[in-house]
Amino acid sequence: MANQKFFVCCVAVLAIAVASHFFGAGYGAKLMIWIALAALVASTLRFVMLIGELNFATAAFYGIGAYTAGVATTMLEWPFIVSFLAGGVVAALISTVFGFITLRTKGPYFLLIGFAFAEVMRIIYTKMDWLGGNSGLIGIFVPEALDVYLTPFVILVSGSLIGILYLIEVSNVGKIFTAIKDNEGVARSVGIRVHLSKVACFVIASFAVGIAGSLHAYTNNVISPGDFGFLLSTFALAYLKVGGEEHPLGPILGAALLILLNALALDSGLNEHIFYGAAIVAAMLLLPKGVAGLVGRWFTADRCEPGVKVVARRAQ
Amino acid sequence: MENLLQLLLTTVQIGSVYVLFALGLTIIFGVLKIVNFAHSQFFTLSALLVAVVIPWLMEEGYSLFNAYLFGLVIGIAGAAMLGVLTYQVGFRWFQRDMVGSFILSAGLVLLFEGIYLEVFGGAVRSVPPLVEGTISVLGAGLSAQRLLICIIAVMLTGGLAWVLAKTRFGNALRAVSIDHEAAMLQGIPYKSIAFHGFIFATLIGAIAGALIAPVSSVSPTFGDSFLVKGFIAVVIGGLGSVPGAIIGSLLIAAIEAFGGFYFDPSSASLAIFVLVMLMLLVRPNGVLGRG
């Protein structure tokens, strides 16, 4: 059953990617790229939530990916595919060190350190003159041959990464992550190396975030430190929360819904911050399971029994 | 020597505001076990109201002193009212839910910041000083206005420490933050303490905002840098620990003052972050944190 759904989703991604090619390079294509990247980032946020942590360092690794791709393309003039992957690889390497130190802490401490890390990275970008300081890097282009296919390319890459994250989630590795979230002590007692597993989860997510950052650099052509503040993590949180965090399709739904609504709202002159803020607050107060929880049985057929949830919450 | 004294004075002066800010964060975390990002928004609202109301009242012909008095009262009362509203509508349902409450507070930050921007505009505001001139303390010069604020903040911090250590309310707050179930068994009304603790912390934040407004340039994003530093101070000291918040805040203020003088402000920010990383390696729950 789950396999069937996954297959349907794969076909859907392919179809959207092909269809997006015929949208041309106008505003519609831009919107699709934004949705794809937002869905990818929100999915990684959800992935780290498997171990029970809220990863606010997301903005930092997104920025690292973007800057790596930018530097590799404009200064080192590496071939496209190498620079493109370098964004993910460098983000993964830095996140290994960062995660190894900070994942010894939990909950609020981890969250706040990630938040501080994003702010520090932003300061570093502005301080480094060779990174363009406050004005950032310009002229990050994909090769001409790929330029026409940029929108399908972004959608395909984002879609496959989200798919891979899902496959990891339902594999045995994913079960280890969930076990750690449910009860670290029990997981450790059956021989799971808790700290290493947490770092692994964090690094996988950071690699995907780095790739998203890399794609951001190539699709925007211009990056500056201001793009990578903690607002980026907050927006990703909004997509995840509005879409619903319990289902893998939640982040995608949330990203599509919020970005399309926001595009409409901007036309009517509503402030973007108010829109996203109100969306998060409303989702938290009125829709604890997000839109995915509302849409119906098809999305929520394999969630656990409501009764089990209540007991688990009381036990905490 | 003169430099050293000047820097120490600066440390106490920024530090006292950080202490007030961080105390609010740590009390809220202790009592409700929530990470409240929206704390900075109460701080900002209070500062914005002060920066708007004082010049307006002076134009209306009030004396400088009266304008300050009304301005501070309106700023603090406005922020406290927003705090009550936020708690009753939102945080009440998210007690002891770390992830949920954090997401809610992140949404509130966006919402409030957007609204402030619409209502007050993005312009940077400043307030005419209450007292003019500079005072020299052992050769180090300090504007009288800043000295006054510094003295008030230090006195307030002392008063707060006394409230938390000696009064029934303070004891109840600390008991709840150590173990809320045991506290309830002892007959401490948790629900009312949670509400009053939140409002108490919000009030402290609002007072800090009102105090700092006359010596700063106030804008709708005014609270953001305080939020980062306040949280780092609390992480260094240990979430939920009152003495920890005070030590952490003073430490950060010292690094900022000395690092900013001998190097530059952004190196000081980096140094603070490196310090936090090193400290987490040694003590993952902060210097004075409990498990």
Side-chain angles (χ1 to χ4, degrees), chain B residues 75-117:
Chain B
I76 294 169
M81 261 151 44
L82 185 66
V84 173
L85 181 75
T86 313
Y87 182 83
Q88 292 294 0
V89 177
F91 286 116
R92 192 145 73 101
W93 315 106
F94 291 93
Q95 295 169 29
R96 326 197 81 80
D97 171 3
M98 217 280 292
V99 173
S101 63
F102 171 76
I103 297 173
L104 178 69
S105 76
L108 287 172
V109 168
L110 286 181
L111 183 63
F112 287 155
E113 214 170 270
I115 294 177
Y116 296 164
L117 206 63

Side-chain angles (χ1 to χ4, degrees), chain B residues 21-31 177 201 234 238-245:
Chain B
F21 194 91
L23 273 179
L25 291 176
T26 212
I27 290 173
I28 290 180
F29 182 83
V31 175
S177 76
V234 176
L239 280 165
S241 155
V242 170

Side-chain angles (χ1 to χ4, degrees), chain B residues 230-246:
Chain B
F231 266 123
I232 291 184
V234 176
V235 167
I236 290 179
L239 280 165
S241 155
V242 170
I246 296 176

Side-chain angles (χ1 to χ4, degrees), chain A residues 99-207:
Chain A
F100 196 82
I101 298 174
T102 55
L103 279 166
R104 289 152 48 93
T105 66
K106 274 200 284 195
Y109 289 94
F110 178 73
L111 163 70
L112 291 171
I113 289 301
F115 167 63
F117 183 56
E119 289 298 293
V120 163
M121 285 313 295
R122 213 166 48 102
I123 296 175
I124 292 181
Y125 303 140
T126 46
K127 286 280 289 175
M128 300 280 179
D129 285 333
W130 61 278
L131 285 178
N134 262 323
S135 39
L137 293 174
I138 53 167
I140 309 156
F141 289 105
V142 290
E144 262 174 55
L146 188 65
D147 203 31
V148 241
Y149 301 108
L150 192 58
T151 317
F153 176 73
V154 171
I155 292 173
L156 272 184
V157 171
S158 310
S160 7
L161 280 172
I162 294 174
I164 292 170
L165 289 180
Y166 171 73
L167 288 179
I168 297 175
E169 183 188 335
V170 294
S171 73
N172 285 339
V173 181
K175 290 194 183 104
I176 290 179
F177 295 156
T178 318
I180 290 174
K181 170 169 120 184
D182 290 343
N183 192 328
E184 228 181 284
V186 171
R188 188 174 286 119
S189 74
V190 295
I192 292 171
R193 304 177 74 173
V194 171
H195 185 59
L196 280 186
S197 313
K198 280 185 179 179
V199 176
C201 176
F202 184 64
V203 171
I204 295 170
S206 300
F207 174 78

